[in-house]
Amino acid sequence: MAQSKTVTENGSRESERRRTILRAAIDVFARKGYHGCRIADVAKEAGVAYGLVYHYFKNKDELLETVFDTGWSGFVTRVRAVVEGEGSLAQKVQGVVDVAFEAYRVDPRAVKVLILEIARSPAGSRINRQTAFVDAIRLSSELFAQAKEAGELREDLDPLLGSALLFGAIEMGLTAFVTGLADSRDASALERAKAQIADSFLHGVLAAASPGAEAGTWKPEKSSEKSATKSKAPKRT
Amino acid sequence: MAQSKTVTENGSRESERRRTILRAAIDVFARKGYHGCRIADVAKEAGVAYGLVYHYFKNKDELLETVFDTGWSGFVTRVRAVVEGEGSLAQKVQGVVDVAFEAYRVDPRAVKVLILEIARSPAGSRINRQTAFVDAIRLSSELFAQAKEAGELREDLDPLLGSALLFGAIEMGLTAFVTGLADSRDASALERAKAQIADSFLHGVLAAASPGAEAGTWKPEKSSEKSATKSKAPKRT
DNA sequence: GCGGCGGCTGATTGAGGAATCAACCCGCCG
DNA sequence: CGGCGGGTTGATTCCTCAATCAGCCGCCGC
């Protein structure tokens, strides 16, 4: 933690405490959830006095907000770099997936908080966190829009939807690890998941039929005709 | 708990109140979120006295729990029907997607609560809601396991992951509507999304290349070599 | 050594809200 | 007619925390 000496040490010392608290907040939020923990928990985790938390953060909400800002902005920056960089659609998609999984590898608990607490948190506090995901989706939808013009993308796919599906797949893939469905201590599992997500997203989950056959086989043939009828009166409450 | 009468009309009258409250709870939760509302809000919405809520539900948490049970069990039942029914993988995938979207069409606010409040809610109360999604994913992973044996599925895809990706795509697709990213009053948008999700999931988002060309091109060629290096020190907090 | 300043402390306060409860209304039975 | 009981009411209680604040170190300059 003392590695921050690099900068002016008086400024960094103050900052060090702040970061300690932030770190503690992430850990506690990840463990008990935002609503499930007290400021006292954060203070204890950080090993500081209760009041100090309020010296660095206006209130509990700003604490979460800050966790969000630091974590999410870093993610978005990297995604933007991928989107605006060079490469084919396939490469960029893989790049976005990699960014997400790398973030998870580096700091799983921070990712857990982002996914569980922030991305989906209902319009509680002043900044609507819903925008978070929306922004990311909008951003990468440009990727798909460009790809579509370049003819890399299927004709009938809405760029916004495509982008949403990508993030949905990534998020649920990560959620599988976050919730323990998959074993996240297994590094190779992470690697495999990473590759499979991008591949499945790009090429679909169906068996790659013998070269040539499949490519010609599938066309927008409305595979839904049967199933559409089956949903009779769902979700009565 | 004399509501076991179910059919007899004196039983139904009592139950009617209960259902009124439940309905109000769904609406209020959808509007302000579980933590963002007071029991008083639910009571007011239902047009009943504050105390009556506690006559029918042990506490606030049980209220949410009940919203969850009713909504989710219906969904899972329908998904199970699809999974255990007849048809190809493609048809079943489309079926699962249809079930989800139909549920949204019938009762968007209930779906919103399920997605926003319950599915991702951190391990707060006694029943771990995390299991909800996990169960559904496990259930439909059988689908993929079978398909894999039948050779319908790509060799290298883990059934569990495939199932997770499907739900991720569905969920994020719905989230787009829930959050207003997409216009949910546009019925045809829903229809299109439904079809595109299943199609993209099955066949991928890439343009169907000229027969032969694309199919031969792609192989597990680790397209990530470039992007892997780019994430230097991600998500520093 | 001394005063003062900024980071730091943690008991105290106050509000918000979950849960309780005593009383009320009204239909029914004796 | 009177009293019983379950559904219903909403004021009251009680408790949990977020947020405050009055003061305590320990360092630095004088």
Side-chain angles (χ1 to χ4, degrees):
Chain A
M1 302 302 172
Q3 44 80 265
S4 51
K5 283 298 161 61
T6 52
V7 223
T8 61
E9 62 283 303
N10 95 3
S12 76
R13 186 187 206 112
E14 170 195 9
S15 211
E16 197 173 324
R17 286 298 206 146
R18 195 187 142 95
R19 252 179 290 127
T20 304
I21 293 172
L22 214 43
R23 182 70 246 165
I26 291 174
D27 292 346
V28 174
F29 288 169
R31 196 164 351 110
K32 326 219 289 182
Y34 178 71
H35 289 286
C37 77
R38 340 265 129 244
I39 290 289
D41 298 331
V42 175
K44 196 184 294 181
E45 175 85 18
V48 302
Y50 185 101
L52 196 61
V53 176
Y54 284 92
H55 188 246
Y56 288 108
F57 301 92
K58 199 163 90 275
N59 51 39
K60 193 185 176 187
D61 215 69
E62 192 187 277
L63 194 50
L64 183 62
E65 207 74 43
T66 307
V67 170
F68 161 73
D69 285 340
T70 31
W72 191 256
S73 71
F75 176 70
V76 167
T77 303
R78 285 187 186 79
V79 169
R80 173 169 289 120
V82 171
V83 169
E84 292 171 354
E86 293 292 302
S88 65
L89 174 65
Q91 286 170 322
K92 289 183 176 180
V93 164
Q94 182 71 56
V96 171
V97 174
D98 286 348
V99 165
F101 272 75
E102 180 62 13
Y104 180 77
R105 200 187 57 76
V106 170
D107 193 346
R109 272 169 295 184
V111 172
K112 181 172 182 179
V113 173
L114 287 188
I115 289 184
L116 257 36
E117 296 294 333
I118 296 173
R120 300 325 177 78
S121 89
S125 39
R126 47 187 222 297
I127 281 196
N128 193 356
R129 276 67 150 275
Q130 229 102 63
T131 24
F133 252 102
V134 170
D135 285 350
I137 289 175
R138 281 230 181 75
L139 170 60
S140 88
S141 80
E142 288 174 37
L143 177 61
F144 289 90
Q146 290 164 12
K148 193 169 179 176
E149 269 180 47
E152 283 184 292
L153 201 66
R154 296 170 45 165
E155 277 297 312
D156 58 337
L157 186 67
D158 175 43
L160 212 50
L161 186 69
S163 180
L165 297 190
L166 175 58
F167 279 94
I170 291 174
E171 197 224 5
M172 193 58 88
L174 282 177
T175 300
F177 289 99
V178 162
T179 60
L181 216 203
D183 183 6
S184 60
R185 288 159 311 173
D186 181 359
S188 70
L190 273 172
E191 280 306 312
R192 255 181 292 123
K194 209 166 77 173
Q196 286 180 25
I197 288 176
D199 263 12
S200 301
F201 180 73
L202 292 167
H203 305 106
V205 298
L206 291 186
S210 45
E214 171 68 9
T217 303
W218 95 268
K219 55 196 69 147
E221 31 111 4
K222 275 318 240 163
S223 61
S224 52
E225 85 300 336
K226 168 222 146 163
S227 43
T229 54
K230 118 162 48 53
S231 29
K232 36 214 170 178
K235 193 60 61 51
R236 240 355 343 248
T237 63
Chain B
M1 300 306 168
Q3 54 83 260
S4 46
K5 292 293 170 63
T6 49
V7 230
T8 64
E9 65 284 299
N10 94 6
S12 79
R13 184 185 206 114
E14 171 196 9
S15 207
E16 198 173 321
R17 288 292 210 159
R18 195 187 144 96
R19 252 181 289 129
T20 304
I21 293 172
L22 213 44
R23 182 72 246 165
I26 291 174
D27 292 346
V28 174
F29 288 168
R31 196 164 351 110
K32 327 221 284 186
Y34 178 71
H35 291 285
C37 76
R38 336 270 126 242
I39 289 290
D41 298 331
V42 175
K44 196 184 295 179
E45 175 85 17
V48 302
Y50 186 101
L52 197 61
V53 176
Y54 284 92
H55 187 246
Y56 288 108
F57 301 92
K58 199 163 88 277
N59 52 39
K60 194 184 176 187
D61 214 69
E62 191 186 276
L63 195 49
L64 184 61
E65 205 75 43
T66 307
V67 170
F68 161 72
D69 284 340
T70 31
W72 190 256
S73 71
F75 176 69
V76 167
T77 302
R78 286 186 185 79
V79 169
R80 174 168 290 120
V82 171
V83 169
E84 293 172 353
E86 293 291 302
S88 68
L89 174 65
Q91 286 171 323
K92 289 182 176 182
V93 164
Q94 182 71 56
V96 172
V97 174
D98 287 348
V99 165
F101 272 75
E102 180 63 12
Y104 180 75
R105 198 186 59 75
V106 170
D107 193 346
R109 273 171 295 183
V111 171
K112 181 172 181 180
V113 174
L114 287 188
I115 287 185
L116 257 37
E117 296 293 336
I118 297 174
R120 302 324 177 77
S121 89
S125 41
R126 50 189 219 298
I127 279 197
N128 194 356
R129 276 69 149 273
Q130 229 103 60
T131 23
F133 253 102
V134 170
D135 285 350
I137 289 176
R138 281 231 180 76
L139 170 61
S140 87
S141 80
E142 287 175 38
L143 177 61
F144 290 91
Q146 290 164 11
K148 193 168 181 178
E149 268 181 46
E152 283 185 290
L153 201 68
R154 297 172 44 165
E155 276 297 314
D156 58 337
L157 186 67
D158 175 41
L160 213 50
L161 186 69
S163 179
L165 297 190
L166 175 58
F167 279 94
I170 291 174
E171 198 224 6
M172 194 59 87
L174 282 178
T175 299
F177 289 98
V178 161
T179 61
L181 215 204
D183 183 5
S184 58
R185 288 160 314 174
D186 181 358
S188 70
L190 274 170
E191 281 305 311
R192 255 181 294 123
K194 210 165 75 172
Q196 286 179 25
I197 288 176
D199 261 13
S200 302
F201 180 74
L202 292 167
H203 305 107
V205 299
L206 291 184
S210 46
E214 172 68 7
T217 303
W218 92 269
K219 56 194 70 149
E221 32 113 2
K222 273 317 242 165
S223 63
S224 53
E225 87 299 336
K226 167 217 147 162
S227 44
T229 54
K230 119 165 43 59
S231 31
K232 44 252 176 135
K235 194 60 57 52
R236 220 38 304 267
T237 60

